[in-house]
Amino acid sequence: MACAHANLCVQPDGLSLMALTPGARVVLGLPRARAALAPEQAVAWHTLRPGSGRLDVTLEADGPTRVVRIHDHKDPESGWIEGLEEEEAAPEAGTRRREWGVRVALAGLSVSLVSRAPPAELVHALLDSVLLDLALKPDHLALALCVTHMQWDNQLLGTPSPVLLYCLPDRSGSTSGGTPLPALHAALELQKAPAKRYNAYFFKHLVVALRPLAIRLEERLILQLWAWAWRGEEESAREQPDEADYETRRMLSELTALHSTRYYFALIKIIPSQIRLSMCTANKLEGSLSALKRRLGLTFIKFEDATVELEPFVRAHVFDTASYLGRQMLAHFKDELKWQAAKILGSVDFLGNPLGFVADVSEGVSGLLLEGNVGALLKNVTHGISNSAAKVTESLGDGLERVVGDEAHEETRRRIRSAAAGAHLAAGFRGLGLGILGGMTSLVKHSYEGATQEGLGGFLAGVGKGLVGTVTKPVIGVLDLAAETASALRDTSRRSDKWVPGRVRGPRCVAGCGGLLPRYCGAQAAGAALLYALNHTDYSEHFLAYRTVRDTPHDIRALLSDSYLRIITCKHAAPQVVMETHLSNLVSCLAVGAAGAHFVELGVRGGGGEAVRRPRVQCDSAELAAWLARHAAVARQLYHEHVHTLLPHQDL
């Protein structure tokens, strides 16, 4: 046995055969030759198992557990994990570790959400410049997603808020690389389960980061999304179980939760950044949406541009079911919104958005002090004052309209305001004229309606209602004029970062001539918008087909709905109806040719008698004439089938 001194070792005293025994005397001397050593003193290293003789032992995290990993120092592939079955730990003969990498780059990705009942497109989401990186190994998967820009549009017809979500401009400039921050960035890494017997997925991290966004909610869209998402569950919930079933279901839920799939995250982080939140309420809801709102017990308030700062959702080393993690995330952001209630309350319309006014004035003063920009100060102050005045007067007008309770007057006001489209002053004067006319005719109108419907009692109630309308309707007209004037001033003084983008594309037509969902067509979407512009936004009339049958300079177009066939021309500034016939009066439609021209001959029954007129519509080609004749015949057939169909909700 060698010691610290060179060329010296510990050895027994003497060279006898039994010198190396317990209790024998040892000395320190020079090493001897191997031939001179006794057999029992010749000691050498021998490995019991094949290998280098050196083992590395490490303690690693494998999902929610800690694993002891033992492997040979010079041959790491021949190791094992303590506690695993041999067939799971030992690699198969001839297998090699491979790594796959996939990169997907898309210029844009469009996603559309369509409801079946009622048939309508709800949301259209556009994701611009999508980059997806995927790395796959035998023991883990890594995914990274980056979206440069995104915009979600509210596709409901007649909505006052056509954009649901869009990215705010980056006022800080850009990142260090000179490119703007992405709208969405997500990173996910999935680790292979340590054993097949575990019903779990193990993630090393999940990080989702968002750029500052503007979210503009709308009452009708929220209710329709709720009806679309929970339709099946609401139908199953109609069967009310007994009280005894609740305890049984609770016990079953607790028992099955032990065997449900669980998810482990070493780190989960959701970073929402800043959100500019707005809410738009509806003056009138359809029957089904109104019933749904009453059943849910929801109350919406109207506010605009409430700047909400939400703290990130961060959890480390969580191991639970997906439903529990979802509830935990929802509870976190609900608590964060409660802390932001003061900002939301300070942005409501009936108070005139005082926080928005303070923000406009403070920004204008900052521009004056830092940059000496007097124009920015005047512009911001003007925008703040006009915005507050428009919101307060509009809220007062809506409140007085509810006091009057005249649905026809309220519907006319809504159409005037929805058709303003930038012409606020014209809409204001129309609202003033409607208020004055309504005040002059209110007493006679309500008295007559009450007497014809309920007799003497209705007449007296109508007189009272008419007197109230005589006073309040002109006041409502004055408030409408003031609100639209302030809105026009607000739009002219709006800052560039306050502009709301328009829709990426128009709402799609969800029901074609056959009743099925067709592919999106921009021309058909433009035809649907033209239909509702011609019928004064009567959304009960559904669009079927639209096409230009004669090109410029005549510009003749055919527009088909489920009720009318219209031949229009758009060679002037506004579209004009050349011929309009109800489908119930359409007898025949044939494509004919005469003197080298192509026509569609329409058999139209007169309103009073049985005489049939046969006007002709000239087309540029035989293909266009055949298209118009075919689609007109299909529309007429669909109309008659609908008339003779007994719908389930109709009373027998």
Side-chain angles (χ1 to χ4, degrees):
M1 182 172 60
C3 62
H5 301 281
N7 299 325
L8 294 177
C9 61
V10 179
Q11 50 190 297
D13 186 10
L15 298 176
S16 61
L17 184 61
M18 301 301 295
L20 191 62
T21 58
R25 183 172 178 267
V26 295
V27 296
L28 188 65
L30 295 174
R32 302 171 185 176
R34 181 175 294 271
L37 290 177
E40 71 274 8
Q41 298 183 27
V43 180
W45 289 101
H46 291 279
T47 57
L48 298 179
R49 298 183 181 277
S52 65
R54 295 181 58 186
L55 298 179
D56 289 341
V57 182
T58 58
L59 182 64
E60 299 180 356
D62 200 347
T65 60
R66 297 296 180 265
V67 177
V68 177
R69 189 182 298 273
I70 305 173
H71 63 271
D72 197 331
H73 179 73
K74 293 186 177 180
D75 190 10
E77 297 295 333
S78 63
W80 67 89
I81 301 176
E82 181 70 23
L84 296 187
E85 291 82 356
E86 184 178 355
E87 61 271 12
E88 295 183 51
E92 297 180 0
T95 59
R96 293 179 297 175
R97 298 176 63 89
R98 295 181 179 180
E99 180 178 353
W100 299 87
V102 179
R103 166 167 286 195
V104 179
L106 301 175
L109 178 64
S110 178
V111 181
S112 182
L113 178 61
V114 179
S115 172
R116 183 178 61 180
E121 185 181 28
L122 303 181
V123 177
H124 171 256
L126 176 65
L127 308 179
D128 192 13
S129 298
V130 181
L131 180 62
L132 176 65
D133 287 322
L134 180 67
L136 180 62
K137 295 181 180 180
D139 55 349
H140 80 280
L141 178 145
L143 182 144
L145 175 65
C146 180
V147 179
T148 303
H149 179 76
M150 64 179 179
Q151 178 177 327
W152 297 8
D153 292 340
N154 180 356
Q155 298 294 88
L156 294 181
L157 299 173
T159 176
S161 179
V163 179
L164 173 63
L165 180 148
Y166 62 95
C167 297
L168 294 175
D170 189 8
R171 308 184 95 188
S172 62
S174 60
T175 59
S176 58
T179 57
L181 293 172
L184 171 65
H185 178 75
L188 173 69
E189 186 171 354
L190 173 65
Q191 184 181 359
K192 185 179 179 181
K196 296 180 179 179
R197 63 176 179 268
Y198 296 151
N199 186 17
Y201 293 93
F202 306 113
F203 296 89
K204 288 189 176 180
H205 63 265
L206 171 62
V207 180
V208 178
L210 294 172
R211 196 170 122 186
L213 301 172
I215 300 178
R216 303 178 64 86
L217 302 175
E218 200 257 330
E219 183 176 358
R220 290 175 59 238
L221 179 62
I222 293 175
L223 294 175
Q224 291 216 13
L225 287 174
W226 183 280
W228 173 82
W230 304 100
R231 182 177 302 276
E233 297 191 6
E234 286 182 0
E235 292 177 356
S236 61
R238 292 176 185 175
E239 301 178 359
Q240 296 294 334
D242 298 334
E243 291 293 334
D245 293 341
Y246 286 107
E247 185 66 21
T248 305
R249 290 186 179 183
R250 186 186 65 81
M251 295 178 63
L252 288 175
S253 177
E254 292 179 356
L255 291 175
T256 55
L258 300 176
H259 304 285
S260 59
T261 304
R262 295 178 180 271
Y263 301 87
Y264 169 79
F265 290 92
L267 175 65
I268 178 172
K269 183 182 291 186
I270 309 297
I271 308 172
S273 189
Q274 184 189 87
I275 297 177
R276 187 184 295 172
L277 191 61
S278 302
M279 179 70 198
C280 186
T281 58
N283 295 327
K284 184 180 179 181
L285 293 173
E286 297 84 355
S288 59
L289 296 183
S290 179
L292 177 61
K293 181 180 178 181
R294 288 194 303 269
R295 185 167 66 254
L296 297 177
L298 298 177
T299 301
F300 298 97
I301 59 172
K302 189 176 182 180
F303 60 91
E304 186 179 9
D305 292 342
T307 304
V308 177
E309 299 281 351
L310 301 179
E311 290 295 327
F313 175 77
V314 181
R315 295 292 184 273
H317 303 294
V318 292
F319 182 62
D320 221 303
T321 60
S323 59
Y324 175 79
L325 293 175
R327 289 195 302 268
Q328 201 174 22
M329 187 184 305
L330 183 61
H332 169 79
F333 287 118
K334 284 175 65 176
D335 293 339
E336 289 295 322
L337 282 176
K338 290 178 181 178
W339 282 104
Q340 305 290 327
K343 294 183 179 180
I344 297 176
L345 183 61
S347 304
V348 295
D349 281 11
F350 66 85
L351 295 179
N353 194 2
L355 287 182
F357 175 74
V358 172
D360 288 336
V361 174
S362 62
E363 187 168 349
V365 172
S366 299
L368 177 64
L369 296 178
L370 298 178
E371 303 176 2
N373 193 346
V374 181
L377 174 62
L378 296 177
K379 191 173 184 178
N380 282 278
V381 172
T382 302
H383 180 270
I385 295 175
S386 59
N387 184 39
S388 299
K391 292 182 180 301
V392 170
T393 52
E394 184 178 348
S395 300
L396 289 175
D398 293 340
L400 288 177
E401 187 64 56
R402 294 188 183 92
V403 173
V404 174
D406 190 348
E407 295 184 359
H409 187 268
E410 182 180 0
E411 180 67 19
T412 307
R413 283 185 68 238
R414 185 190 64 80
R415 290 184 177 181
I416 291 175
R417 289 159 60 179
S418 62
H424 292 289
L425 289 179
F429 281 109
R430 290 180 62 188
L432 177 62
L434 177 66
I436 295 174
L437 180 62
M440 295 173 59
T441 60
S442 178
L443 182 60
V444 177
K445 174 186 174 183
H446 291 292
S447 301
Y448 175 76
E449 290 180 352
T452 54
Q453 294 176 2
E454 301 180 7
L456 181 59
F459 173 76
L460 296 178
V463 170
K465 189 175 181 179
L467 291 176
V468 173
T470 302
V471 178
T472 56
K473 286 182 180 180
V475 177
I476 294 172
V478 174
L479 291 174
D480 287 345
L481 176 61
E484 296 297 337
T485 304
S487 298
L489 187 60
R490 175 189 60 191
D491 291 347
T492 56
S493 60
R494 190 187 299 269
R495 301 193 308 268
S496 59
D497 60 337
K498 292 288 186 179
W499 284 105
V500 180
R503 280 178 175 149
V504 176
R505 63 165 177 80
R508 69 183 301 152
C509 305
V510 297
C513 288
L516 301 178
L517 178 66
R519 296 179 60 183
Y520 178 78
C521 178
Q524 300 302 309
L530 185 59
L531 168 65
Y532 297 123
L534 292 174
N535 68 359
H536 306 290
T537 64
D538 182 10
Y539 298 115
S540 61
E541 184 178 357
H542 300 293
F543 171 84
L544 290 183
Y546 167 76
R547 193 169 182 179
T548 301
V549 295
R550 198 172 184 190
D551 212 341
T552 52
H554 304 282
D555 197 3
I556 303 298
R557 308 179 186 183
L559 181 59
L560 282 163
S561 69
D562 61 349
S563 301
Y564 286 92
L565 166 62
R566 295 180 176 90
I567 305 299
I568 60 176
T569 178
C570 296
K571 63 180 180 180
H572 303 290
Q576 296 180 355
V577 178
V578 178
M579 186 185 71
E580 179 181 276
T581 178
H582 198 273
L583 294 179
S584 60
N585 298 325
L586 185 63
V587 178
S588 62
C589 42
L590 299 173
V592 296
H598 307 281
F599 298 90
V600 174
E601 186 178 88
L602 302 175
V604 181
R605 184 185 297 110
E610 294 296 329
V612 176
R613 298 180 294 107
R614 299 191 180 276
R616 289 188 174 186
V617 179
Q618 187 174 358
C619 303
D620 286 342
S621 64
E623 186 270 334
L624 290 174
W627 178 91
L628 178 55
R630 182 174 64 255
H631 282 73
V634 171
R636 180 172 62 91
Q637 182 179 358
L638 290 175
Y639 171 78
H640 287 290
E641 289 179 356
H642 179 73
V643 169
H644 294 90
T645 301
L646 181 62
L647 300 179
H649 64 273
Q650 291 181 343
D651 297 331
L652 295 177

